[in-house]
Amino acid sequence: MSELPFPQSFNLVFFGGTGDLVMRKLLPAMYQSYKNGQLGDAGYFYCLGRRDYTVEDYRAIAEEKARQFLPKADWDDEIWAAFRRRVIYERIDAENPEEYAALKALLERTPAEVNVFFLSVAPSLFSMICESLARQKLNGPNSRVVLEKPLGHDLASSNAITVAVGRHYQEKQIYRIDHYLGKESVQNLMALRFGNALFEPLWRRQWITDVQITIAEEVGIGSRAGFYDGTGALRDMVQNHLLQLLCFVAMEPPSSLDSDAIRNEKLKVLECLVPFTPEDVQVNTVRGQYRAGICGGQAVPGYLEESGVPAGSKTETFVAIKAEIANWRWAGVPFYLFTGKRLPTRLADIVIHFHDVPHHIFPLPRNGSRAPAKLVIRLQPDESIRLYLNAKRPGHSMELRPVSLDLDFTSKFSERREEAYERLLLDIIRGNQSLFVRQDELEMAWRWVEPILNTWAADPRGPEAYKAGTWGPAASAELLSRSGHRWHEDD
């Protein structure tokens, strides 16, 4: 997170250049950076694919897609015209090592301080691409390789990717990207915790009852059945996004903003996660699969009726987990991880519930229940921090009601907020690894998740059904109620 100087020149190479991620996220992110003067005159964007496009064909398609995904207020014809001249398409088959000589020749036309290779392709191609780049001497000190998830299907396959990429690139050259870590609110979580003395004394087991981390999606699997049915929600969301967010909530203060100082503290959290036995999995995890229902005001099919899903699939589309951290700060505090598809709305929240006061002197509210303080850090769709407190209701009685102190980043800061991929791409070009996952973090996350995967695979019952447009199986609410907790709802 520490600021590093921006190079005078760079080449950013997108493998999978005709794919959805490059068109929808990566090129629009770089346009925004260019528009806001962050790239200066530096930078060429080489987009590689198998399709027989000319450079102008590709630029026209990229413009059409960018217009769809960029806010209208951010579009500028003149700036796009200047930006698109730096976008170059080249037909290269990533699976043919002989074609990498053409890539090397391209890059030699625009010699740069930094060459970044973004592998927006299936993980099965990572090894071949890295080996082919190395044969062309494109793995020198000025080269960086970016790996997009999924980074393996289990611990063994993840380690195999690590070994394969590590043959040609050093760890300091490898950027394992998790776009959730690029969100402004995740970095504000660091600022909130380590930039203010107010919360540090409270950020521990003596004052916090539970922590809830939620990533809810309204959408189903769409056309991704081929990928999703072999992956499921645990691999797709928990092993990476949710565990990384847990680390930022639970980590100890790092000694500095140096990338390894931050990642060392995250690793300690992963090492302290209490491992699951098969019995623990039965008690402390819930998996579900959506059935037909109403979502977003529309009738939607169930998972088993989605195109491309095999009959009788037991792939989970919903996960709830009660996790615990065995250290002095967090012992006994449950961390509830919650994610699913076809839920009532799209949101991502981190909720910190504080203990109630030890002795009540105020009368019960009219609804008969008290509301202890809580901190809600919203990551999407809007980014905000909200602190819920109790205040006196106007009138003669001393009845309390919940109120909130709100920090909405859009209204409080006039500066434009960078999108997640925009920030992460700029960090890669600078060489800042703070918001990227180190190999030992990745391995520990898989070690923690794998017993859950194995226990579920051996369980013939499969996931519990839930109706699309609801908050998942009833068992997820029971997971909390057994410990006297309940899911956060906006008040």
Side-chain angles (χ1 to χ4, degrees):
M1 292 183 187
S2 53
E3 195 69 22
L4 293 171
F6 203 80
Q8 293 296 309
S9 59
F10 69 89
N11 293 315
L12 182 47
V13 180
F14 294 123
F15 286 86
T18 60
D20 183 64
L21 180 64
V22 173
M23 292 286 194
R24 183 168 55 92
K25 292 289 187 181
L26 304 183
L27 281 178
M30 288 291 88
Y31 161 77
Q32 292 280 37
S33 297
Y34 182 80
K35 178 175 180 288
N36 287 282
Q38 293 167 298
L39 303 184
D41 294 327
Y44 285 88
F45 307 96
Y46 292 97
C47 303
L48 313 182
R50 295 179 178 178
R51 299 182 185 178
D52 288 318
Y53 293 142
T54 66
V55 173
E56 286 306 315
D57 287 341
Y58 183 84
R59 288 171 174 171
I61 295 168
E63 178 174 338
E64 179 185 355
K65 295 287 187 181
R67 284 182 180 272
Q68 295 176 27
F69 296 112
L70 285 167
K72 288 183 178 180
D74 291 342
W75 186 266
D76 185 294
D77 286 329
E78 185 176 342
I79 294 174
W80 177 266
F83 172 75
R84 72 182 300 213
R85 286 195 289 270
R86 297 181 171 275
V87 177
I88 300 167
Y89 178 78
E90 184 74 9
R91 188 196 178 283
I92 287 180
D93 182 355
E95 297 185 61
N96 184 353
E98 302 302 319
E99 298 192 13
Y100 283 73
L103 173 59
K104 183 177 182 180
L106 273 177
L107 297 179
E108 285 175 345
R109 285 192 230 159
T110 56
E113 288 181 66
V114 175
N115 287 325
V116 175
F117 301 99
F118 195 118
L119 276 53
S120 180
V121 294
S124 58
L125 298 179
F126 289 174
S127 177
M128 178 181 293
I129 291 174
C130 290
E131 182 176 348
S132 300
L133 289 170
R135 284 179 181 171
Q136 298 296 329
K137 311 298 185 192
L138 293 174
N139 62 334
N142 71 327
S143 297
R144 293 162 193 163
V145 61
V146 186
L147 306 181
E148 180 71 38
K149 79 178 184 82
L151 295 176
H153 190 75
D154 53 19
L155 178 61
S157 59
S158 176
N159 285 343
I161 290 173
T162 295
V163 171
V165 177
R167 289 194 188 104
H168 310 290
Y169 291 91
Q170 299 178 40
E171 180 65 26
K172 65 182 180 181
Q173 296 175 281
I174 301 171
Y175 291 72
R176 300 171 185 88
I177 198 164
D178 185 331
H179 71 274
Y180 269 86
L181 302 189
K183 292 181 179 292
E184 189 78 38
S185 44
V186 173
Q187 290 164 86
N188 263 302
L189 173 58
M190 290 274 288
L192 183 79
R193 286 199 58 195
F194 307 132
N196 300 283
L198 175 65
F199 286 105
E200 174 56 25
L202 306 179
W203 212 264
R204 58 194 69 242
R205 60 186 300 276
Q206 289 86 348
W207 302 106
I208 292 176
T209 63
D210 65 286
V211 178
Q212 299 177 15
I213 305 176
T214 301
I215 301 177
E217 298 180 282
E218 193 174 11
V219 299
I221 62 166
S223 60
R224 299 171 70 225
F227 162 76
Y228 195 88
D229 196 69
T231 303
L234 185 66
R235 292 183 178 93
D236 191 40
M237 301 298 289
V238 177
Q239 183 273 333
N240 39 70
H241 302 326
L242 284 164
L243 281 185
Q244 284 293 312
L245 294 177
L246 180 150
C247 287
F248 274 99
V249 173
M251 64 190 279
E252 294 298 316
S255 59
S256 70
L257 291 179
D258 175 75
S259 60
D260 276 333
I262 293 171
R263 297 190 295 180
N264 288 343
E265 296 304 334
K266 288 163 57 188
L267 177 63
K268 291 175 186 177
V269 174
L270 293 169
E271 290 173 335
C272 289
L273 281 172
V274 177
F276 281 96
T277 64
E279 293 74 24
D280 294 331
V281 173
Q282 299 296 340
V283 174
N284 292 324
T285 73
V286 176
R287 56 175 168 156
Q289 187 184 87
Y290 64 82
R291 297 291 185 258
I294 305 296
C295 207
Q298 304 267 335
V300 297
Y303 180 76
L304 295 176
E305 288 78 55
E306 298 277 19
S307 176
V309 172
S313 170
K314 293 183 179 179
T315 297
E316 78 284 355
T317 63
F318 173 97
V319 175
I321 297 176
K322 178 183 177 183
E324 295 187 17
I325 300 172
N327 63 19
W328 277 43
R329 184 183 289 268
W330 296 113
V333 176
F335 281 70
Y336 296 104
L337 309 180
F338 177 97
T339 187
K341 290 188 177 294
R342 289 298 187 204
L343 301 182
T345 190
R346 170 180 174 263
L347 64 83
D349 279 341
I350 299 170
V351 182
I352 315 292
H353 283 113
F354 294 96
H355 280 289
D356 201 356
V357 296
H359 175 63
H360 289 283
I361 62 173
F362 299 98
L364 277 173
R366 296 174 190 178
N367 64 8
S369 64
R370 305 184 193 277
K374 63 183 174 184
L375 180 69
V376 179
I377 302 159
R378 175 149 293 179
L379 310 179
Q380 66 182 30
D382 54 323
E383 296 183 352
S384 62
I385 296 175
R386 180 174 295 175
L387 178 62
Y388 288 85
L389 303 168
N390 287 305
K392 178 185 173 298
R393 181 188 293 273
H396 289 288
S397 76
M398 288 298 292
E399 181 182 339
L400 304 184
R401 70 175 181 187
V403 296
S404 63
L405 303 175
D406 298 348
L407 171 58
D408 180 274
F409 297 136
T410 303
S411 61
K412 296 297 183 184
F413 299 105
S414 59
E415 299 93 336
R416 177 185 165 272
R417 290 173 297 140
E418 296 173 345
E419 294 295 328
Y421 273 111
E422 183 181 350
R423 174 178 292 106
L424 294 173
L425 286 170
L426 291 174
D427 274 353
I428 294 165
I429 295 166
R430 288 190 181 99
N432 183 1
Q433 290 189 310
S434 300
L435 296 175
F436 298 86
V437 180
R438 203 168 58 192
Q439 182 275 328
D440 47 9
E441 292 180 72
L442 178 65
E443 181 175 343
M444 285 306 304
W446 274 117
R447 286 189 183 280
W448 187 75
V449 163
E450 197 161 59
I452 305 174
L453 290 169
N454 293 340
T455 304
W456 284 355
D459 188 345
R461 292 175 297 177
E464 183 179 340
Y466 65 97
K467 191 174 181 181
T470 68
W471 285 107
S476 65
E478 296 169 7
L479 183 67
L480 281 82
S481 64
R482 288 198 299 267
S483 300
H485 303 132
R486 65 183 180 89
W487 288 118
H488 158 74
E489 297 178 2
D490 282 327
D491 294 296

